Structures are given as structure tokens and as C-alpha cells.
Amino acid sequence: MAAAHTTNAGKMLYALSMHPSELHVVEPGSVVDLGAIDPGRTPGLSGSKEKERASAEAMHAENVVAMRDLQYRLWAEGGRSVLVVLQGMDTAGKDGTIRHVFGALNPQGVRVEGFKQPTSEELAHDYLWRIHRKTPGAGRIVVFNRSHYEDVLVVRVHGLVPEAVWQRRYEEINAFERLLAGSGTTILKVFLHISKDEQKERLQARLDDPAKRWKFSAGDLAERKRWGEYQQAYTEALSRCSTEHAPWFVVPADRKWYRNWAVSSIVRRALEQLDPQPPEAEFDPATVEID
Ligand code: AMP
Ligand code: MG
């Protein structure tokens, strides 16, 4: 993008137009007001909706190509790693985001880990036990489809543990993420922010479309009834756990094309900042003879 703006006026425009990483980051220490963030907005884009969509799709496609090269370099470097945490209400688009943003990466270097209701073995341990073993090793990108944040979301909303227990988890999570970050893992946490109306449409689509029906669960309706409690629990998780070493991003997700572009932009930017470098050869290739 930057290269396209070669005139002075263009440079100024580029400096003024904000990147999704800056537009959506939750500043550490700030309190998020989800009610004030319209899930249908499309900041960073301008023009008619059709124009916005076309440019978001084109820039998303560019992001994916760039991510592929960066992933290759991360893998070759073989030291650092990236963890992307995806959270959102049912139908927020976690699966679609994984398909569109990470689907084109080399499967050798990327893994998706989903976290559902804990098994009895998992429940017999601390809540981070099942999480820690799925974090990325050197050179890898791991995407969490739900995460340890469920332990301050569904667990809090349903009172699955006493309040004193979930209250201390925010600090525990921050410490856990600091450990990962200090060990070479770049952490990006994305909340896919949809409206209650949009969820209604997407749930209805799951009912109406036989191909989508398998995704519908009656339990989703029970969770929907607690929408307000979830927004409250999210507000607290996003506010208390957005840190320098593991920032949260609130991505407006009612429009899938906006969501895809925003998330791929955030991931691409983080990979570019890592600027992974393949290790230098420890030998002089000119001296090697292959017979
Ligand atoms: P899905 O994402 O549709 O496959 O649903 C997974 C379900 O597992 C969601 O309803 C989550 O709330 C639930 N889940 C994930 N982690 C936990 C947890 N730690 N405790 C209780 N339920 C959880
Ligand atoms: Mg579900």
C-alpha cells in the first residue's frame, strides 16, 4: 500500500488513514465500551459500500499473499511464534475468519485449536493446562478458536465456579500471556464484534439452510438470552486483559468482508514487525561440492 502513494499528497493521505491494528486495538488500561462500537462500521475504508467491499476484498487478497511469504520466513527462522486468539458470540464468524485469513497458509506451519466444554480430564486440572500444551512452538502460527477466555466468559456468565475464582483469573491470564510473550510468542487477540440483530439473521440462516443446519444448536438460543451478560463479561475481559505484550482488538464483524480485511491486516502487520529472517548459513556454500 505504501508504495502506491508516491506523491506528497498521497503520503499525507497514507499517514492520516489509520491501519486496522491502530483502529481496533484496545489501549492497555482503557475501558472498552462495546455499546459505543457499531458492529456494522467500516473504519479505514471510504466510498460507497460496494466500493468499500471491492477494495477490502482486494486488500485482503494482498494481505493473504504477503502473509504466506512472512509465514515461510517465520518457519525458516525457526525461533519465534505467533498465537492468534479468536473470540466472539455464537455466529460471530470465528470459523469463517479462520477459513478466509489462515486458509491459504502452509499447513506445515499453522495449526488451529478449538476449545469446547472441558473434558473430565481437563476439569481435573487448572484451566490453563489444556491451553498451554496447544500454544505454538518455534516457527509456528497457532489460531485459537475460543480459548482460555471462555474461563472468564461462559464460566462467569453461568457461574460455573465461584466469583472469587474467576475474579483472580484476569491477573492469572495476564501473567500466563506474559510468560508466552517472554518466550518468543507474539500474541494477538481478536474479538469479533457482531450485533444482536446480525446474530438473529445468522441463526435463522442456520435453521433455513440445510447445509448450515448442523451448526445450529438449541443451546445457542439459551446463550443469546444472556446477550447482555456476555457483553458485560467481554467488556471486562477486553479491558482488563489488553496489555502491551498481548493486545486485544475489537473488530466490527457484521460485514464479513470488513472482518476478513481487518483481521488479515492485523496479522500481516504483526508478522511484518517481527520481520523474520532465515538463519545465515554456517558454511560457505562455494566450498561445498556435490558429487
Ligand atoms: P462451538 O464453538 O460452537 O463449537 O461451541 C463450543 C462451546 O464450548 C461453547 O458453547 C463454549 O462456550 C464452550 N466452552 C468452551 N470453553 C469452555 C470452558 N472452559 N468451560 C465451559 N464451556 C466452554
Ligand atoms: Mg456453536
Side-chain angles (χ1 to χ4, degrees):
M1 282 299 294
H5 298 292
T6 47
T7 66
N8 278 338
K11 267 187 193 141
M12 267 188 51
L13 256 181
Y14 184 69
L16 288 173
S17 70
M18 295 237 305
H19 187 276
S21 298
E22 288 139 26
L23 286 165
H24 302 309
V25 71
V26 176
E27 288 301 333
S30 71
V31 175
V32 179
D33 182 0
L34 286 179
I37 304 174
D38 175 2
R41 63 202 276 268
T42 56
L45 301 174
S46 57
S48 65
K49 276 292 161 272
E50 299 79 73
K51 258 184 119 173
E52 286 194 356
R53 180 179 183 148
S55 77
E57 286 174 348
M59 290 189 292
H60 170 66
E62 270 180 42
N63 285 346
V64 167
V65 171
M67 281 171 60
R68 222 176 321 185
D69 173 58
L70 287 156
Q71 177 203 19
Y72 185 78
R73 285 161 49 195
L74 185 75
W75 175 257
E77 183 188 76
R80 295 172 295 175
S81 61
V82 175
L83 173 62
V84 181
V85 170
L86 289 181
Q87 284 286 164
M89 299 293 287
D90 291 311
T91 76
K94 299 183 287 294
D95 296 328
T97 300
I98 290 169
R99 224 169 30 244
H100 285 100
V101 177
F102 301 95
L105 296 184
N106 179 353
Q108 281 225 90
V110 68
R111 209 174 65 230
V112 177
E113 297 291 351
F115 295 95
K116 303 200 179 259
Q117 250 178 344
T119 63
S120 54
E121 190 191 21
E122 287 167 350
L123 279 174
H125 295 79
D126 71 84
Y127 66 102
L128 293 173
W129 180 74
R130 66 173 182 163
I131 306 293
H132 204 166
R133 46 211 295 261
K134 302 293 188 185
T135 55
R140 297 188 186 258
I141 298 174
V142 166
V143 184
F144 279 0
N145 183 347
R146 301 187 189 269
S147 66
H148 44 302
Y149 282 93
E150 291 294 327
D151 293 286
V152 290
L153 293 165
V154 63
V155 167
R156 167 179 169 156
V157 168
H158 286 272
L160 301 181
V161 300
E163 172 165 1
V165 174
W166 59 254
Q167 274 293 358
R168 61 171 190 256
R169 289 184 173 173
Y170 301 97
E171 272 315 306
E172 291 167 353
I173 287 172
N174 288 341
F176 169 64
E177 292 176 352
R178 197 174 309 116
L179 165 71
L180 299 181
S183 311
T185 301
T186 293
I187 305 170
L188 305 167
K189 303 178 296 197
V190 177
F191 171 59
L192 301 176
H193 184 38
I194 56 162
S195 63
K196 202 175 175 191
D197 287 346
E198 180 68 19
Q199 188 192 53
K200 184 176 186 180
E201 280 186 25
R202 293 184 187 182
L203 285 172
Q204 191 62 48
R206 287 183 181 182
L207 280 176
D208 296 344
D209 180 351
K212 288 184 180 169
R213 210 162 286 156
W214 65 274
K215 275 199 161 193
F216 183 84
S217 118
D220 295 351
L221 298 183
E223 299 313 297
R224 178 174 166 79
K225 286 206 168 68
R226 297 171 180 261
W227 185 273
E229 289 167 81
Y230 271 105
Q231 298 293 301
Q232 185 51 42
Y234 266 112
T235 295
E236 209 155 323
L238 297 166
S239 304
R240 293 174 72 173
C241 299
S242 193
T243 55
E244 294 294 343
H245 60 270
W248 268 110
F249 299 87
V250 176
V251 169
D254 274 6
R255 296 173 200 272
K256 295 173 182 174
W257 47 265
Y258 183 82
R259 170 202 80 196
N260 291 339
W261 170 65
V263 177
S264 63
S265 298
I266 290 166
V267 175
R268 176 185 177 176
R269 161 80 58 106
L271 286 166
E272 281 172 348
Q273 285 172 345
L274 284 178
D275 190 22
Q277 303 294 333
E280 297 269 339
E282 280 163 6
F283 52 85
D284 178 358
T287 64
V288 180
E289 202 177 310
I290 301 170
D291 59 22

